[in-house]
Amino acid sequence: MSGNEGFSVGGACLGLLLLGACARTDPAAEVPSGTAMAESDSVTIARLEREARALARIDGCGSADQCMTAPVGERPCGGPREYLVFCARTTDTAALNRKLAELRTVETAFNQKTGAMSTCEFREPPPTELVAGACRAR
């Protein structure tokens, strides 16, 4: 009898396949579905954007050159979804920039996971103005 007698490659594969099938757990029970993950991510994106907007103060500037803009989010094709106008004199710009960077990171990952699409035009920051002590987009 040679070393290969009584051994079936097909039988061995079938045995391993059955053994592997018994050892597996339901992946849906361990990992949220794509829809659940997308919903969770969109809730996080909305929360981060609310937090960033809460940090951005529009009032308290004495001149229009103190009014600034910051990019918000990340469109699937790249670049910000919009710009946030704020008064640099009364806003903690470091905290605002950190929050906006976190938002951009989460939204970029969300866009990649979901295969989101968008238009690809370049969006420039709006010009700003000071009206009655408050910054706004012109």
Side-chain angles (χ1 to χ4, degrees):
M1 206 165 151
S2 73
N4 288 337
E5 288 179 7
F7 179 80
S8 164
V9 173
C13 288
L14 179 60
L16 289 173
L17 180 63
L18 290 174
L19 182 65
C22 292
R24 288 189 195 142
T25 59
D26 180 13
E30 295 177 18
V31 179
S33 71
T35 302
M37 285 192 311
E39 287 175 9
S40 173
D41 289 346
S42 59
V43 168
T44 300
I45 289 167
R47 176 184 54 80
L48 290 170
E49 187 167 344
R50 277 192 313 276
E51 290 171 0
R53 290 184 184 283
L55 290 169
R57 309 245 332 151
I58 61 167
D59 58 336
C61 279
S63 63
D65 65 336
Q66 295 172 332
C67 296
M68 306 298 240
T69 61
V72 176
E74 184 72 15
R75 294 179 322 138
C77 197
R81 283 186 282 110
E82 64 180 303
Y83 287 86
L84 183 62
V85 176
F86 65 95
C87 173
R89 183 174 166 196
T90 57
T91 297
D92 180 346
T93 56
L96 175 61
N97 287 330
R98 280 192 303 274
K99 187 62 67 177
L100 290 170
E102 184 180 2
L103 170 61
R104 191 170 31 260
T105 299
V106 171
E107 194 162 7
T108 298
F110 172 80
N111 291 340
Q112 290 171 350
K113 275 194 271 186
T114 62
M117 298 174 72
S118 70
T119 58
C120 296
E121 78 274 359
F122 180 73
R123 293 186 177 168
E124 293 189 35
T128 60
E129 63 183 351
L130 185 66
V131 177
C135 295
R136 67 178 193 183
R138 204 174 327 154

